[in-house]
Amino acid sequence: MVLSRRRPHPFVSVPVLLCALLWTTPPTPAPAFEGPGTSADVARLYKEASTATARYEEVHRAARIQKVKVRKLDRLLARERHEAKALHGDLGRLARAQYRTGGGLPYTAQLLLADSPDALVRGEHAFRQADLAVNSVVAKTRRAAADLAVAKRKATRAKRSLDQRTVRLAKLKRDIRRKLETARWTLQGEADRSVAAGKCRGAVRLDQPSRPATRAWVAPVASYELSAGFDRAGAHWAHRHTGQDFAVGIGAPVRSVGAGRVVSVSCGGGFGIEVVVRHKGGHFTQYAHLAAVTVDQGDRVRTGQWVGQAGTSGNSTGPHLHFEARRTPRHGSAVDPVKWLAKRGVRL
């Protein structure tokens, strides 16, 4: 199993993250509520990063579409100009042919010299009609080419504007990511000091998602990569792995998979900062290695409500969430969380 101690990119999860689950010290009750501080900064920056990314992708897509439009107009314009040039050449050939067949003589002289004046009149009329028709087609083609040229200039200006917006949004994304990276590791430093002191910092009350969950059960994090799975053997655990790890960045919102009540909030030991929630039916879920908690013991939580922010506190090799489904609130009663969630309609 490959371990990585490199700090992850703000939006790229570390592929494989492990957590050691030795419970070395008893849980420490959480003290009174603290101000949001760094936790709120991280949550805000996550939201800003998500918004900036969405805007960037939207403008980037629009720029690509506009680029295709410019290319299409360029092809149409080239075709119209080619047709106009060809028709103009046809007119020239007709004029030269008319001159060679007597078109250079005055029309009165042509009538006097013609074997059949009536036929000459009909021929002249037909020629003029054809000449007018060709001129009309040439004029229309030229107008179409001019219109296409105008459309192309407008499309090119629009594309240039979108390209400039894309560049600005890309810079905005980079700036937010740098700020987020700094804030995340500041948050983790606060968590590490709390765990080292054996004294939790207490719940931070962050703004919860504006839209409540529409399902009874959800995954513990919205966006993730699965890493170490349940019952996995390895040198990093006392026996076998008792949960499912989700590779996410520090500060990523961790949510309760279902409605319930918080039965413990603690820090210290192998799990670092953790939250345990009791659900209807007597099952429990655990959320470990957090950087911060957003609930207190005894709080009721709804499905999807944030209970903390992911981190790498305790015995952890990198940022991730260790999630367990248990028969009791205590360590050692875990069941396979992937199967447990699947029975409730959540497939990871």
Side-chain angles (χ1 to χ4, degrees), residues 9-334:
H9 188 281
F11 295 96
V12 178
S13 302
V14 178
V16 179
L17 299 170
L18 306 175
C19 58
L21 303 182
L22 275 174
W23 193 289
T24 56
T25 59
T28 305
F33 161 77
E34 290 187 0
T38 309
S39 289
D41 290 340
V42 171
R44 173 181 55 80
L45 287 167
Y46 259 101
K47 185 175 181 179
E48 289 181 5
S50 177
T51 301
T53 299
R55 287 174 57 198
Y56 172 82
E57 294 299 333
E58 180 183 357
V59 174
H60 189 56
R61 283 194 300 270
R64 289 201 305 269
I65 293 171
Q66 199 67 22
K67 185 177 181 180
V68 172
K69 183 178 180 181
V70 170
R71 287 177 176 174
K72 182 179 179 181
L73 286 169
D74 200 32
R75 290 194 299 270
L76 291 173
L77 179 58
R79 188 178 70 186
E80 290 292 344
R81 285 174 173 169
H82 176 75
E83 290 181 0
K85 184 177 180 180
L87 287 170
H88 190 266
D90 290 341
L91 271 181
R93 285 191 294 273
L94 286 171
R96 287 192 296 272
Q98 183 187 21
Y99 182 82
R100 286 194 298 268
T101 57
L105 292 173
Y107 188 63
T108 304
Q110 292 183 47
L111 283 174
L112 292 172
L113 297 173
D115 295 333
S116 175
D118 289 340
L120 178 63
V121 171
R122 288 194 299 272
E124 183 68 18
H125 179 73
F127 177 81
R128 287 178 179 175
Q129 290 295 107
D131 188 48
L132 288 172
V134 172
N135 277 327
S136 176
V137 171
V138 170
K140 288 180 180 178
T141 303
R142 286 175 174 170
R143 285 196 299 271
D147 292 342
L148 283 170
V150 171
K152 182 190 172 184
R153 286 195 295 271
K154 290 181 179 178
T156 301
R157 285 196 297 269
K159 178 186 174 299
R160 190 179 301 117
S161 176
L162 288 168
D163 286 342
Q164 292 170 351
R165 286 185 62 192
T166 300
V167 171
R168 289 195 298 270
L169 286 171
K171 182 180 182 300
L172 176 63
K173 279 177 57 182
R174 290 193 298 270
D175 291 344
I176 293 174
R177 285 179 176 181
R178 283 194 292 267
K179 292 177 183 177
L180 177 58
E181 181 75 354
T182 300
R184 293 198 313 177
W185 287 101
T186 299
L187 178 63
Q188 185 59 48
E190 295 173 358
D192 291 340
R193 288 190 291 272
S194 295
V195 172
K199 185 178 181 181
C200 294
R201 293 179 295 136
V204 290
R205 304 300 184 180
L206 301 177
D207 293 336
Q208 293 290 329
S210 56
R211 288 185 179 180
T214 57
R215 300 170 57 188
W217 301 92
V218 295
V221 283
S223 180
Y224 56 86
E225 291 180 16
L226 296 178
S227 50
F230 178 74
D231 204 31
R232 189 169 181 174
H236 297 274
W237 304 291
H239 300 288
R240 299 180 78 87
H241 195 225
T242 55
Q244 173 63 57
D245 287 353
F246 294 78
V248 291
I250 295 169
V254 173
R255 55 194 189 181
S256 178
V257 297
R261 184 184 292 274
V262 178
V263 297
S264 69
V265 177
S266 57
C267 67
F271 288 126
I273 300 174
E274 61 155 334
V275 172
V276 177
V277 176
R278 177 184 178 126
H279 304 283
K280 186 177 180 180
H283 280 86
F284 299 80
T285 53
Q286 179 216 30
Y287 313 81
H289 301 309
L290 303 176
V293 296
T294 59
V295 290
D296 282 319
Q297 184 173 323
D299 285 355
R300 287 192 176 277
V301 293
R302 65 179 185 274
T303 301
Q305 180 177 333
W306 293 352
V307 296
Q309 291 171 291
T312 183
S313 62
N315 197 348
S316 166
T317 61
H320 71 291
L321 167 70
H322 173 81
F323 172 76
E324 288 189 17
R326 297 174 174 176
R327 297 185 185 91
T328 75
R330 292 178 295 279
H331 176 56
S333 63

